Amino acid sequence: MAAAAAHQEKILSDGLPLLLQLAPKSVLVFRALQLGDMLCAVPAFRALRAAVPRARIALVGLPWASQFAARFSDYIDEFYAFPGHPALPEQPVRQDLLDGFYESMRSRKFALALQMHGSGEISNGIVRAFGAHVAAGHAAHGLIGDGRFHCFAYPETGPEPLRLLGLTAALGAPPAGTQLEFPLTAEDEDELARSGLAAGLAPGAYACIHPGARNREKCWPPQRFAEIADRLALEFGLSIVITGSGQEADLAGAVIGHMKMPAVNAAAPISIGAMAALMRDARLLVCNDTGVSHIAAALELKSVVIFNNADMDRWAPLDNRLHRCIRDPAGEYANEVLALARMVLTQAEWR
């Protein structure tokens, strides 16, 4: 312990970024969040990989994120499923797995553990428990580091990708671009083809309407989505595709039930990769503030994103030319949403 503390003091006194001082052979990142949050972290993962190209980079995330790690295997080498924490709301705690999980993390003796989960009130303690040689991460005002943990001030404002890039830059990883990514695979394409959902849809000739969200309280009213869908079909001659998960089939059906124009119901039990392959060739996406808005940003698919009460400055896509956002929790501004859709559709030719 004394040797470790002395090493930490040397890092601080030298004033060099941690990554330059440590040249770590292994890095463990904690970010146990949902799809949109994870996609916003891709620029930070890309910067980290560029800074330590030969390091083994592991992710501790929610169980579903094994798919994320596999999709982003250029940046992530290993994945460990997080069993939860009583103070974190993203998943129920698996008490039976906790002791074994932390013991397993400590046994791997990571050179560096990074907290990229949030402001650190709870998550910094979780990362400390991983037992890495050095740990670091964002910390809210008033939280300070010690000989085992380096704290960087948590930014209270700004887009999420840039907040995370600020952390990796402070660690010594220069930004490698701010763009999001969502690489599509042959498996995604094959699954979409087998589903038949894209049959008869010509690239650039349809719009996707995504009425769902993980939290249904965030959802814009189905009748408002229907109004927008009808106008897009009438004014631009676009086919309308209602997207969603299999659990959102009722929402898709409600939108179609309010529509006057025909629509394809694509709310089906397909993977997020197959859904992204369907969205890729759309001309426009209209959606709630949810994970698919970040897929649209990654695919450079024009979009209109309708916010409820979330922080728009934090979660809006960075490119406000391709992606327009509006706050309308009560469903009062359908005309304004339509105006934004017209704007992004007519500002330039479809790519």
Side-chain angles (χ1 to χ4, degrees):
M1 290 296 293
H7 179 68
Q8 299 290 354
E9 290 174 4
K10 180 180 185 301
I11 291 174
L12 288 174
S13 63
D14 287 349
L16 290 176
L18 279 174
L19 291 176
L20 294 180
Q21 282 284 340
L22 297 172
K25 294 182 178 179
S26 57
V27 180
L28 182 64
V29 177
F30 177 62
R31 189 168 176 85
L33 297 167
Q34 302 296 346
L35 175 64
D37 306 81
M38 298 306 298
L39 291 177
C40 286
V42 167
F45 277 109
R46 185 169 58 236
L48 187 61
R49 170 58 79 198
V52 287
R54 287 180 290 278
R56 173 172 53 99
I57 298 177
L59 170 66
V60 172
L62 298 180
W64 79 266
S66 61
Q67 306 167 41
F68 176 88
R71 190 172 297 275
F72 290 95
S73 58
D74 285 350
Y75 308 141
I76 300 169
D77 300 303
E78 299 174 5
F79 174 77
Y80 301 102
F82 181 55
H85 187 282
L88 297 181
E90 286 77 19
Q91 64 175 342
V93 183
R94 290 289 308 275
Q95 293 286 352
D96 57 317
L97 300 179
L98 283 177
D99 290 344
F101 168 76
Y102 284 107
E103 182 179 347
S104 176
M105 292 298 99
R106 289 190 291 269
S107 72
R108 285 168 167 78
K109 301 184 184 300
F110 280 91
L112 175 64
L114 298 180
Q115 187 279 106
M116 290 175 57
H117 185 89
S119 57
E121 290 92 338
I122 304 300
S123 47
N124 285 349
I126 292 170
V127 172
R128 286 174 185 270
F130 293 159
H133 180 58
V134 178
H138 276 145
H141 178 72
L143 295 181
I144 59 174
D146 56 27
R148 292 191 57 212
F149 198 102
H150 292 272
C151 289
F152 299 87
Y154 181 68
E156 298 292 343
T157 61
E160 184 72 358
L162 302 189
R163 296 187 194 200
L164 297 172
L165 280 174
L167 175 61
T168 51
L171 293 166
T178 61
Q179 71 275 14
L180 304 192
E181 301 177 34
F182 194 92
L184 294 170
T185 68
E187 290 77 10
D188 298 329
E189 306 283 2
D190 290 345
E191 182 184 354
L192 177 61
R194 290 194 304 272
S195 75
L197 295 173
L201 295 174
Y206 61 96
C208 288
I209 305 293
H210 192 90
R214 179 172 295 275
N215 180 357
R216 292 215 172 180
E217 293 181 358
K218 295 170 58 174
C219 294
W220 210 43
Q223 60 269 33
R224 296 291 175 256
F225 277 114
E227 291 174 29
I228 301 303
D230 280 338
R231 294 310 308 174
L232 294 175
L234 289 168
E235 293 185 23
F236 295 93
L238 295 172
S239 298
I240 302 299
V241 180
I242 313 298
T243 58
S245 68
Q247 290 72 37
E248 294 168 335
D250 60 325
L251 273 178
V255 173
I256 293 171
H258 286 289
M259 288 181 63
K260 298 178 175 63
M261 301 293 289
V264 175
N265 188 339
I270 59 173
S271 70
I272 195 65
M275 186 185 300
L278 175 62
M279 290 179 172
R280 175 198 54 202
D281 290 331
R283 190 171 167 192
L284 176 72
L285 169 69
V286 182
C287 65
N288 297 299
D289 162 39
T290 189
V292 297
S293 73
H294 302 292
I295 291 178
L299 298 176
E300 297 186 348
L301 164 61
K302 295 177 179 181
S303 69
V304 177
V305 185
I306 303 153
F307 277 73
N308 192 299
N309 294 313
D311 183 348
M312 196 184 308
D313 290 338
R314 182 177 182 181
W315 298 111
L318 294 177
D319 188 338
N320 60 14
R321 184 184 63 88
L322 290 180
H323 314 288
R324 302 301 175 106
C325 299
I326 184 172
R327 188 180 304 283
D328 187 19
E332 300 173 318
Y333 300 122
N335 288 337
E336 289 79 359
V337 171
L338 180 59
L340 292 176
R342 289 176 179 137
M343 189 180 301
V344 294
L345 284 171
T346 58
Q347 67 188 359
E349 289 296 320
W350 181 75
R351 66 186 187 282

